[in-house]
Amino acid sequence: MDVVERCLKCGIVPVVVIENADDAVDTAKALLAGGIDCMEVTMRTDAALESVRRIAKEVPEMLVGAGTVLNLDACKAILEAGANFIVSPGFDPATVDYCVENNVPILPGVATPTEIMMALSRGLKLVKFFPANIYGGLKAMKALSGPFVGLKFLPTGGVNGENIKEYIEAPFIAAVGGSWVCTKADISSHNYAKITELSKAARDAIDEVRA
Ligand code: 3PG
């Protein structure tokens, strides 16, 4: 199963901000215990590179990707650390082209038809829709999926335990992203039981919709 398929099967890609690399492995294990086997570690902290390195090495069952990848240098550095896939809030052509040429799965962020066409022209079939709640949420993705037949979205921004089912039910949504199952506060306070509990709840909601 390839990386994209694995994210889709899981149905949720948690957006994870790790401030201390010492918390990385336990965080990944807490997600796994809740049935989530893919995660996006955001490159928003100094601990991101080392966190990805440790998760890739010590938690091989976890598919670890990098998020908030803003340029090609950051992309190359995090791939070197062991990231399995790249997520970006926007569309950086140099980063996308590098990933496509090197068979690295990439989910660029899009919010407009033009950005979607930039993704399609490079053969991408799955894009991140961000920030989903600000740019029209389900209504916007439904409208966009009219002309862009077969395109699937991974919405992030405003997805949570209350609305996850509405998103997962939509045929144009492959999986959701979000920070609610694994918050910065729960990571830094080592509240791993809570991360596992919220992960389980999200996975149950996804399974229920897909049953
Ligand atoms: C992000 O990149 O911060 C994500 O979109 C998470 O958004 P959320 O905190 O609303 O889940």
Side-chain angles (χ1 to χ4, degrees):
M1 193 184 303
D2 75 9
V3 165
V4 172
E5 277 173 25
R6 212 166 126 185
C7 293
L8 304 194
K9 183 161 179 273
C10 186
I12 174 171
V13 183
V15 175
V16 181
V17 182
I18 302 176
E19 286 174 318
N20 181 345
D22 288 343
D23 300 336
V25 165
D26 287 338
T27 300
K29 287 182 177 170
L31 288 166
L32 271 180
I36 293 181
D37 66 354
C38 61
M39 67 192 286
E40 170 192 328
V41 175
T42 60
M43 293 186 78
R44 293 177 204 178
T45 67
D46 292 341
L49 274 175
E50 180 60 18
S51 296
V52 166
R53 196 171 285 126
R54 291 194 197 178
I55 294 167
K57 187 163 169 233
E58 295 176 43
V59 196
E61 312 92 303
M62 176 59 77
L63 186 71
V64 60
T68 321
V69 178
L70 303 182
N71 55 54
L72 187 53
D73 285 346
C75 173
K76 286 181 177 172
I78 204 77
L79 289 173
E80 181 75 30
N84 298 119
F85 63 97
I86 300 293
V87 186
S88 179
F91 196 105
D92 178 55
T95 303
V96 175
D97 288 343
Y98 176 85
C99 287
V100 169
E101 280 159 23
N102 291 281
N103 292 317
V104 174
I106 175 153
L107 300 175
V110 303
T112 66
T114 302
E115 290 157 347
I116 290 174
M117 287 163 71
M118 288 164 67
L120 291 175
S121 72
R122 287 154 170 97
L124 302 182
K125 304 263 175 348
L126 175 67
V127 289
K128 167 168 159 139
F129 186 66
F130 173 78
N133 54 340
I134 308 293
Y135 280 111
L138 280 166
K139 270 191 177 170
M141 283 178 279
K142 185 164 188 233
L144 289 166
S145 67
F148 302 120
V149 180
L151 180 73
K152 300 272 185 193
F153 294 99
L154 181 137
T156 69
V159 184
N160 55 47
E162 274 74 56
N163 61 20
I164 182 173
K165 283 190 184 175
E166 293 163 38
Y167 280 96
I168 292 291
E169 266 162 13
F172 43 84
I173 288 179
V176 298
S179 62
W180 86 97
V181 295
C182 189
T183 65
K184 239 189 330 190
D186 285 336
I187 296 169
S188 53
S189 62
H190 299 172
N191 197 351
Y192 299 119
K194 173 119 173 271
I195 294 171
T196 298
E197 183 191 318
L198 290 170
S199 299
K200 268 194 185 126
R203 287 285 309 124
D204 285 350
I206 292 164
D207 287 347
E208 222 175 283
V209 171
R210 289 178 171 174

